[in-house]
Amino acid sequence: MEKITSILAKKEPHFLTVTPGSSADTALSRMCHENLDYLIVMDNRNYVGLITEHDIASKPVVINKQLAKTKVSDIMNDKLPAATTDDTVERCMQLMRQHHVRYLPVFEIHSFRGIVSTEDIIEEAVNNRLEIFDAIVKRESKFGVLT
């Protein structure tokens, strides 16, 4: 498979973000408005973590706090394993399985480049599979194997 940068290149160039000091209900409202499963947590243009719908639905219950009184920084994921722009899609799949996560931040040296999700990786695998299948069908059709 290709490098993870092939997935990042297909994604929108801007990031949908939230600050660590925002409330969980603000983050959830933004996710709903943008139809997203996660937001990137940025502090002064620096990546500090990721917050997901699952974080918002489960963590405030555990710490017994209302969403409006729960800060993003209290429930965000700030210890996700990271990928680099040199990593392959396979390597990212390994990291996700090994750490039981669905999202990976991607960095180039120390510069944040984006988030790759399991959904992104599955889509890439399906697209590559379709390209391989199309090439086989064309080759066989050329030689009269398929009509």
Side-chain angles (χ1 to χ4, degrees):
M1 276 192 191
E2 299 177 28
K3 292 201 181 232
I4 203 65
T5 51
S6 65
I7 292 176
L8 290 177
K10 295 172 188 170
K11 296 180 88 166
E12 291 187 35
H14 66 281
F15 308 123
L16 295 169
T17 64
V18 67
T19 63
S22 298
S23 66
D25 65 338
T26 299
L28 182 59
S29 176
R30 178 104 193 262
M31 284 182 213
C32 291
H33 182 262
E34 300 287 345
N35 195 26
L36 298 171
D37 297 333
Y38 68 89
L39 291 173
I40 299 165
V41 184
M42 301 287 276
D43 191 17
N44 294 325
R45 302 177 119 195
N46 294 316
Y47 169 87
V48 293
L50 188 78
I51 187 163
T52 67
E53 287 178 325
H54 182 264
D55 296 325
I56 294 170
S58 62
K59 292 179 181 178
V61 172
V62 172
I63 60 175
N64 199 25
K65 277 181 111 175
Q66 296 175 356
L67 287 183
K69 295 181 180 180
T70 303
K71 288 186 178 183
V72 166
S73 60
D74 295 336
I75 59 174
M76 69 183 189
N77 294 300
D78 60 355
K79 293 180 177 37
L80 289 172
T84 70
T85 53
D86 291 329
D87 284 330
T88 62
V89 173
E90 291 99 340
R91 174 68 182 135
C92 291
M93 287 170 55
Q94 289 172 336
L95 279 171
M96 289 174 162
R97 266 196 318 265
Q98 180 182 355
H99 295 279
H100 306 286
V101 297
R102 292 188 281 171
Y103 305 96
L104 283 178
V106 180
F107 294 88
E108 185 173 36
I109 304 175
H110 296 293
S111 181
F112 177 71
R113 292 292 176 226
I115 297 288
V116 174
S117 70
T118 52
E119 187 176 305
D120 297 329
I121 288 178
I122 290 169
E123 185 176 320
E124 182 74 9
V126 168
N127 287 340
N128 284 343
R129 177 106 169 125
L130 291 175
E131 288 172 17
I132 292 166
F133 178 75
D134 288 346
I136 291 169
V137 168
K138 285 179 184 176
R139 186 175 57 239
E140 290 177 353
S141 180
K142 181 178 177 183
F143 294 110
V145 177
L146 294 176
T147 57

